[in-house]
Amino acid sequence: MRLTKFTDLALRVTMRLAVVEPGATLTTAQVAEAMAIPYTHTAKAISRLRHLGVVDARRGRGGGLELTAFGRSASLGWLVRELEGEEEVVACEGDLPCPLRAACRLRGALRDAQRAFYASLDALTIGDLVTSPTGPVLLSLT
């Protein structure tokens, strides 16, 4: 299974925010620059993460971005599901339905693999992802 670029960058943004000192904030521009992501893509990811309750964003003086307590402890599997959606890996229906769909074992095998993929992520949180050696590397990005 391959994640979309949007999910990839949203996860990297979340990881960067997870290593910010308590009470400190970063701006969208600072995160974009540190993670080498275009500002507009970063802003879209932050908007989605904010909608999910993972990131808190405040405007104005003293504002900035912070990972919420929920964002720090939420399951990585849940976050990836929310960002990716839970559509099946293969599309057996549609304009040209697959002629094997009535008796195909591939669809079920891929569905099981997708469930196993998400289940392996369910055991992790963003907080887990930023332990050493990742956390210090994230902190060194400017």
Side-chain angles (χ1 to χ4, degrees), residues 11 17-19 23 25 31 36 39 46 61 73 101 105 124 129:
L11 292 173
L17 292 174
V19 296
T25 59
V31 173
Y39 176 86
I46 289 169
R61 182 176 254 206
S73 64
R101 71 185 181 279
R105 297 183 72 196
L124 298 169
L129 297 179

Side-chain angles (χ1 to χ4, degrees), residues 90 92 98 100-113:
V90 293
C92 300
C98 177
L100 301 175
R101 71 185 181 279
C104 182
R105 297 183 72 196
L106 176 62
R107 185 179 191 178
L110 291 174
R111 187 179 311 118
D112 291 345

Side-chain angles (χ1 to χ4, degrees), residues 22-140:
T25 59
L26 293 175
T27 65
T28 302
Q30 289 170 323
V31 173
E33 183 178 339
M35 301 307 293
I37 303 168
Y39 176 86
T40 55
H41 291 94
T42 305
K44 287 177 186 176
I46 289 169
S47 176
R48 180 76 172 120
L49 292 167
R50 186 174 180 213
H51 175 76
L52 293 172
V54 173
V55 171
D56 183 32
R58 292 180 309 277
R59 293 180 179 260
R61 182 176 254 206
L65 306 170
E66 276 187 292
L67 191 64
T68 64
F70 171 73
R72 189 172 305 282
S73 64
S75 156
L76 183 60
W78 170 83
L79 183 55
V80 172
R81 282 180 191 92
E82 290 297 316
L83 295 169
E84 286 287 315
E86 290 193 69
E87 293 182 20
E88 291 194 50
V89 177
V90 293
C92 300
E93 310 300 330
D95 293 340
L96 295 172
C98 177
L100 301 175
R101 71 185 181 279
C104 182
R105 297 183 72 196
L106 176 62
R107 185 179 191 178
L110 291 174
R111 187 179 311 118
D112 291 345
Q114 183 180 31
R115 285 185 192 126
F117 172 77
Y118 283 128
S120 70
L121 296 178
D122 284 337
L124 298 169
T125 66
I126 293 297
D128 294 331
L129 297 179
V130 297
T131 59
S132 190
T134 307
V137 172
L138 286 164
L139 284 171
S140 71

